Amino acid sequence: MICNYTALIACCVSSIAKHFFTVSTRESLHCNVPINVKGVGDDIYLFSQPSLFWMIPLMVSNFLSSGPHNRYKPVYYQSVMPKQTSPIKRLFWGGNSEDADLLMKLDTTILPYFSIIWFLFGLNRASYSSAYISGMKDDLQFKGKDFNYLNTTYLVVYAVCQMPGVALLTVAAPKYVFVVANVTWSVLTLITFKTQHVWQVILLNAFEGGFSAIAYVGAHFILGSWYEKKELAIRAAIFCNFGHIGSMSGGWIQAGLLKTLDGKGRLPAWRWIFLIVSIITIPSAIFGWVFIPNMPDKQDAWYLSPREREHAYKRLGEPRKYTWDRTVFRRVLLSWQFWLLPFMFMLYSLSIQMELNNVFPLWMASRGYSVVQQNNYPTGLYGMAIVATALYSAISDKIQSRWQCSLLIGFTFVVGSAILIANPAKDAAHFFAFYLLGTTYAPQALWYAWMADVTAHDYQLRAITTGFMNSFDFAFVTWWPLIFYPVTDAPNYRKGYIASIVTGSFIIPLVVIVAYLEKRGHVKNQLGRLAVGVDQDVLDESQPSHHGGPSEARIEALHVSDKL
């Protein structure tokens, strides 16, 4: 009898411990020396070192209640001593040793690969413009709108192939998809240097658009598959900023090639451009073949230890939906993510057109600035883009929320466009407006990270929306500049500035709507990945937690070896 009362008291104390110390989400873990206790009430308890006191009643309860009529499940516990993290790792990758080891390897393999590919992509696209004005036009006898047809065919094929390309990543190993596309893209560029007719360049360029379509959207999909919400945006920013660096330096690199190689080997400078760009792309393909991993659930990245592979898989969790079946079209077409996010990104692409189409240089020419200044000063836009993209992304990762920085971008469009519409007399105001609007390049990283956040629950939805976000805006940006930014309107593109302030204003309420839907989805427990091993049907039937909201999936403690 005494033993029964003692066991009852011990279990009551255990229940109190459960109420105050149960951790239900991986984000809630802040303990340095966790104790994993499994068994009571089918829950998992993770206690920090000061809470070792609560282990005593649990152990007493287990001991006193043992026997053939035991109504309580046995308690198992193990102490996990933390691994020390070096100061350098702590600075760049945080204090969690498991995350730091994993992130260090990811940041030196997949992140550099995609960043270099995007840099080479920008260099490759700039090569056509450089070649055109460096002799290709006369040698191949371009006429009329031939160069426009060259760009249009590329953009059409590029846009059409983005969704199928990302969808392919859900069924095929990313290594094969990216390397095959990378090598084919390089070979097509190499063949271009031998072309003798305009139609050959247009045809090769169109095929190149299809194989290069995976570069941008595919990279965002892979990054979203390996990095957590608090890590993703800044990595996406690094990736996008390499494209900006390519845009800034592409002209300088190709100017150097033209000056150095023109006439060498009896080849004109424009043919050397395609030859060199093709050759420097090959090492990146080799790097990708070696280091591009499969998806985390495959756990086959050779440079990760078995423990790191398991950690990479379990720390992100599993999508609630991850199969291609008859429900895919319904899941995608009836989702708000598939429609609102691409529409918002399209508005951004239209709003930023004043930063493109040579608007800034043509305005500078009208004010008497030299040709050198017209080429140098606009590069500051990319400098602003690099800084703002990194800053907005880092802030959104830190607060683990994207809508605040997104609202600021929407208001920036309004302010910058309003200044340009006013057409102030002082040049300083124009410079301020253009450079301020340079910060609005940030959605290229920020919004793709946001898209990964709100589609993480559905593998196919995330893949299709990733491709659709970038291809949908091509349906508009191909003709939008012809109407609102024709070169005949230079230097004052008032019509285009008004269009930008309108589209930029529409971004603001859309950001609010997406933020509301995201919050509602989390409240209803419809968004986010599940902990590994948790069934969706079981989760749907679960009761509300003691916090008043829907109960979250129980997270199983990772198996940790006794030898650390």
Side-chain angles (χ1 to χ4, degrees), residues 351 353-355 359-360 362-363 413-414 416-423 430 434 437 480 484-485 489-504:
S351 301
Q353 290 300 308
M354 86 284 288
E355 297 290 270
V359 173
F360 193 11
L362 289 174
W363 171 82
F413 275 124
V414 173
S417 300
I419 294 174
L420 294 176
I421 291 172
N423 194 22
H430 285 267
F434 281 117
L437 289 165
W480 189 269
F484 295 101
Y485 290 93
D489 284 359
N492 184 11
Y493 292 88
R494 179 179 176 82
K495 183 168 55 178
Y497 301 152
I498 293 175
S500 290
I501 199 172
V502 172
T503 52

Side-chain angles (χ1 to χ4, degrees), residues 85-96 100 235:
T85 305
S86 68
I88 295 179
K89 284 186 179 180
R90 191 178 301 112
L91 175 63
F92 289 101
W93 296 288
N96 185 306
R235 269 77 182 183

Side-chain angles (χ1 to χ4, degrees), residues 189-190 193 267 270-280:
T189 304
L190 178 63
F193 106 98
L267 290 177
W270 71 267
R271 294 189 184 273
W272 275 110
I273 290 176
F274 291 114
L275 182 62
I276 296 299
V277 170
S278 174
I279 292 174
I280 63 178

Side-chain angles (χ1 to χ4, degrees), residues 2 30 91 151 211 231 298 358 449 492 557:
I2 296 176
H30 299 291
L91 175 63
N151 288 324
F211 284 98
E231 307 155 353
K298 303 300 182 183
N358 289 324
N492 184 11

